[in-house]
Amino acid sequence: MLELIKRNIHMNRWKSQVNTQVTLDDDFIVPDTMSDIAQVILDAGEVQLEPVKVQSEKLQVRGKLDFHVLYRKDEGGLQTLGGMLPFEETINVPGLEEKDYVSVTWQLEDLDVGIINSRKLSIKAIVTLEARVETLFDTEAAVELGSVQDDGEGAPQIEKQKSAVDVAAIALRRRDTFRMKEEITLSGSKPAIDRLLWTEMRLSGVTTRPMDGKIHIEGAVLVFVIYEGEGEGDVIQWVEESLPFAGDVEIQGAVEEMIPAISVRLIHRGIEEKPDYDGEMRELSVDAVMELDIRLYEEQRLELLTDLYATNRELELETREACFDQLLTRNTGRCKVTEKFALDGGPRVLQICHSTGTVKVDEVEAKGAQGAAPAAQGATPVMQGTAQADMLSLDGVLEVKILYLTDDDSQPVQSAVENLPFHYDAEVPGIRADSIWYLETGVEQLTAVMVGGDTVEVKAVLVLDMLVLQPVCQTVVSRAITGPLDRKKLQQMPGIVGYLVQEGDSLWKIARRFHTTVDNIMTTNNLASEEVRRGECLILVKEITRE
């Protein structure tokens, strides 16, 4: 038996993705200590998930929806209340094993806060849970022959065929966190803080890149706060700041040349008022914790042994399929969204004081040579689709929320929500039906301005960060056993023959069939390369076995 030198490649295989929707519907009683509700101005929700439990092809997901409502009081002025709706969901995932890597992400598809009466709210929400299952495994492939020993009948004269394959092997797969703490000082024109009414925190322009022994992360945290000022009565104040950050997360084994697929999300949003040196509440303490879901790939070029034969032995080969991932593209695209829409009547708008945008992907479709079909939806999907024109096509909406001031003293603050559709095509040469892609979305820029009357113009730049992998399978030699040469069969073969190249032929196939070598054919026929064309005439000389 011939010795084969084999190489282990660490791979990350995407097994399945399951989406399910959770519908939440409950009534919420306004606490006795709070004022009656006249109008809901803003609402927001965030899902908190507990660690997921794996139970024999099922995922047990528990969590809660934390919601906050900013409302106008019956007697005037603003107030904020909050609560939570717990939920529990069982997700069936065929083929799930305990060793698999499971991640569950959420998307708040809809949050509807309605007034039943001045002391009771109706809270309705739809939460999409996306369970992604991956498994880490090693695939083994022969890359070279070991030392060939003389077995008493002379050393085997081995001809070998190799195939070059570029492989994107998983180098690192883990989660980690990055924390940013910052302080905001109110400008001199702003009154001190009497009471915080509303806080928002979002990420913007976040980029990550691997470096030696660490992941570098930078971007900005967007902070928006509504508060009541000291001695200002019911007059509201607001603060909006962009806090840039940059730092490193220590990751042992990371190398600068690795290819990243890293998602970043906020898992803790802390904003508190604090006194300045004079004891006045003129500072805000910002505490943001980001979770990094890290995949680092390493491109390797492998020369795989795909076939062997010997001119002085019989070789019995065992082969198998080895499957790898190849990198098709690592690309960051930007999509511009520009839209005008009218606010729904009501008082005259004096000023837009705040706007935010959330990207919601409805459909992702790979288009290539084999037809197309939509893939599953999700905020940060990992998907397989079908293909028809060498591009990844995305459709979705940018959900824009606008907070504005009016000239009506009875309802000075109002809000509006509008969904702006977008479409984006990313060119991905070679994309196929079984391609796998990772997609992260975000909002890089967003402006909302009044352009006359009650018309608002929104301009936004969306960031679409994608990594596309192509699974490929290659037949490789797994075992080679030598045996005595079949001399009778060899003697029945002609010593020299003329041969017309057929469709699908290669020099390797011809040499193997006629008991010669590629080098022998090229020398005999004065060929400059191994490429041959159909109908070409070759002189083939049988390789003579030395006794």
Side-chain angles (χ1 to χ4, degrees):
M1 186 167 65
L2 293 177
E3 178 190 0
L4 300 178
I5 299 174
K6 297 183 179 181
R7 175 91 173 266
N8 277 323
I9 302 102
H10 202 44
M11 303 298 295
N12 182 71
R13 176 177 294 161
W14 183 78
K15 290 181 69 173
S16 61
Q17 174 182 307
V18 180
N19 286 12
T20 187
Q21 284 193 333
V22 180
T23 301
L24 304 175
D25 188 351
D26 204 354
D27 295 340
F28 184 81
I29 305 297
V30 178
D32 294 337
T33 56
M34 304 190 74
S35 300
D36 288 355
I37 298 175
Q39 180 189 14
V40 172
I41 305 297
L42 286 175
D43 57 55
E46 183 178 356
V47 175
Q48 303 286 344
L49 296 178
E50 298 178 10
V52 177
K53 295 181 180 179
V54 179
Q55 299 175 341
S56 62
E57 297 195 333
K58 293 182 179 180
L59 294 176
Q60 196 73 25
V61 182
R62 292 179 179 174
K64 62 179 180 177
L65 170 65
D66 289 327
F67 65 87
H68 300 276
V69 177
L70 179 69
Y71 67 90
R72 181 168 56 84
K73 298 183 290 186
D74 214 18
E75 65 272 22
L78 301 180
Q79 199 162 23
T80 303
L81 62 79
M84 67 92 174
L85 300 178
F87 63 86
E88 183 174 332
E89 186 77 7
T90 299
I91 304 176
N92 294 315
V93 185
L96 177 65
E97 302 175 74
E98 286 191 8
K99 66 181 179 64
D100 291 337
Y101 190 96
V102 177
S103 64
V104 177
T105 57
W106 59 270
Q107 172 91 8
L108 185 57
E109 301 291 347
D110 185 47
L111 176 61
D112 181 22
V113 179
I115 300 176
I116 298 175
N117 57 53
S118 63
R119 305 299 301 173
K120 184 187 287 188
L121 292 174
S122 168
I123 310 294
K124 297 180 180 180
I126 298 175
V127 178
T128 295
L129 299 175
E130 181 181 86
R132 299 192 292 267
V133 181
E134 302 165 76
T135 187
L136 298 177
F137 69 99
D138 286 331
T139 186
E140 188 180 65
V143 295
E144 191 53 87
L145 278 176
S147 58
V148 180
Q149 304 294 330
D150 189 334
D151 56 6
E153 298 184 9
Q157 298 169 18
I158 306 295
E159 297 295 313
K160 56 190 179 184
Q161 184 185 51
K162 287 187 173 185
S163 177
V165 178
D166 291 319
V167 173
I170 189 75
L172 280 168
R173 182 73 173 94
R174 60 176 289 186
R175 284 193 177 98
D176 215 317
T177 57
F178 177 80
R179 190 169 198 168
M180 184 208 79
K181 287 189 173 184
E182 193 62 74
E183 291 184 357
I184 299 173
T185 301
L186 300 184
S187 67
S189 61
K190 293 281 187 181
I193 300 169
D194 182 50
R195 181 163 59 103
L196 294 182
L197 294 172
W198 189 262
T199 62
E200 287 182 8
M201 187 186 299
R202 291 174 178 268
L203 295 176
S204 175
V206 177
T207 60
T208 57
R209 70 176 187 272
M211 301 178 70
D212 293 345
K214 57 191 175 184
I215 299 293
H216 182 75
I217 179 172
E218 59 184 67
V221 172
L222 305 182
V223 175
F224 177 69
V225 174
I226 300 175
Y227 71 95
E228 285 183 356
E230 287 185 355
E232 296 289 314
D234 291 331
V235 177
I236 70 163
Q237 302 288 334
W238 69 89
V239 177
E240 192 162 19
E241 291 284 345
S242 176
L243 304 177
F245 66 86
D248 299 316
V249 178
E250 300 297 323
I251 302 290
Q252 187 176 1
V255 178
E256 187 173 354
E257 291 76 22
M258 289 179 177
I259 302 162
I262 303 173
S263 64
V264 182
R265 65 186 184 97
L266 275 172
I267 60 173
H268 174 71
R269 300 168 171 86
I271 302 176
E272 295 180 350
E273 69 269 42
K274 59 179 291 189
D276 61 10
Y277 289 113
D278 297 326
E280 292 185 305
M281 290 294 184
R282 301 190 59 81
E283 291 189 354
L284 293 168
S285 176
V286 178
D287 183 10
V289 179
M290 296 157 235
E291 183 183 67
L292 286 74
D293 191 3
I294 302 167
R295 298 177 187 84
L296 293 182
Y297 291 87
E298 195 170 26
E299 274 200 296
Q300 305 170 1
R301 167 154 282 213
L302 302 179
E303 297 280 343
L304 304 178
L305 278 179
T306 56
D307 198 9
L308 298 170
Y309 69 93
T311 57
N312 62 346
R313 295 286 193 283
E314 297 297 326
L315 278 188
E316 180 183 342
L317 299 182
E318 292 182 8
T319 61
R320 67 175 185 86
E321 267 201 340
C323 295
F324 315 96
D325 288 335
Q326 289 183 330
L327 178 67
L328 287 186
T329 188
R330 172 74 173 87
N331 185 32
T332 299
R334 285 170 172 80
C335 176
K336 292 183 179 181
V337 177
T338 302
E339 195 78 41
K340 293 180 181 179
F341 62 91
L343 299 175
D344 294 332
R348 186 169 65 89
V349 179
L350 297 179
Q351 180 184 0
I352 293 177
C353 55
H354 179 58
S355 58
T356 61
T358 302
V359 179
K360 295 185 176 181
V361 177
D362 295 325
E363 187 177 36
V364 179
E365 192 177 6
K367 296 180 179 179
Q370 302 177 20
Q377 71 176 37
T380 53
V382 181
M383 294 170 285
Q384 284 182 307
T386 59
Q388 100 181 341
D390 283 7
M391 66 175 61
L392 199 61
S393 183
L394 290 82
D395 286 284
V397 297
L398 174 65
E399 182 187 78
V400 178
K401 291 186 177 181
I402 295 174
L403 187 70
Y404 59 93
L405 304 182
T406 77
D407 63 355
D408 187 342
D409 292 339
S410 66
Q411 42 183 334
V413 182
Q414 296 291 306
S415 66
V417 180
E418 192 76 17
N419 288 323
L420 309 181
F422 71 88
H423 175 84
Y424 183 77
D425 289 326
E427 192 173 329
V428 185
I431 197 168
R432 296 193 331 219
D434 57 347
S435 296
I436 299 169
W437 56 89
Y438 301 91
L439 175 65
E440 291 293 322
T441 62
V443 180
E444 186 175 72
Q445 298 175 24
L446 175 66
T447 61
V449 296
M450 301 301 299
V451 291
D454 60 354
T455 302
V456 179
E457 182 178 48
V458 173
K459 293 183 178 181
V461 177
L462 313 185
V463 179
L464 308 164
D465 196 11
M466 63 194 72
L467 173 76
V468 184
L469 300 174
Q470 179 58 54
V472 294
C473 292
Q474 177 79 50
T475 300
V476 296
V477 177
S478 58
R479 193 179 183 202
I481 301 174
T482 60
L485 183 66
D486 187 342
R487 297 186 179 278
K488 182 178 179 181
K489 177 182 174 182
L490 182 62
Q491 289 170 359
Q492 292 175 348
M493 297 178 65
I496 185 169
V497 66
Y499 178 76
L500 287 177
V501 176
Q502 306 297 308
E503 186 71 35
D505 272 345
S506 66
L507 284 190
W508 175 266
K509 291 179 181 178
I510 296 169
R512 204 183 200 287
R513 178 181 171 187
F514 288 94
H515 198 79
T516 183
T517 67
V518 171
D519 288 343
N520 190 326
I521 297 175
M522 292 183 67
T523 300
T524 303
N525 293 274
N526 294 319
L527 299 180
S529 73
E530 294 187 16
E531 292 186 9
V532 289
R533 297 184 300 275
R534 179 182 177 183
E536 191 173 348
C537 184
L538 299 176
I539 302 300
L540 307 178
V541 179
K542 180 172 64 177
E543 187 80 4
I544 304 299
T545 305
R546 296 187 293 272
E547 297 293 338

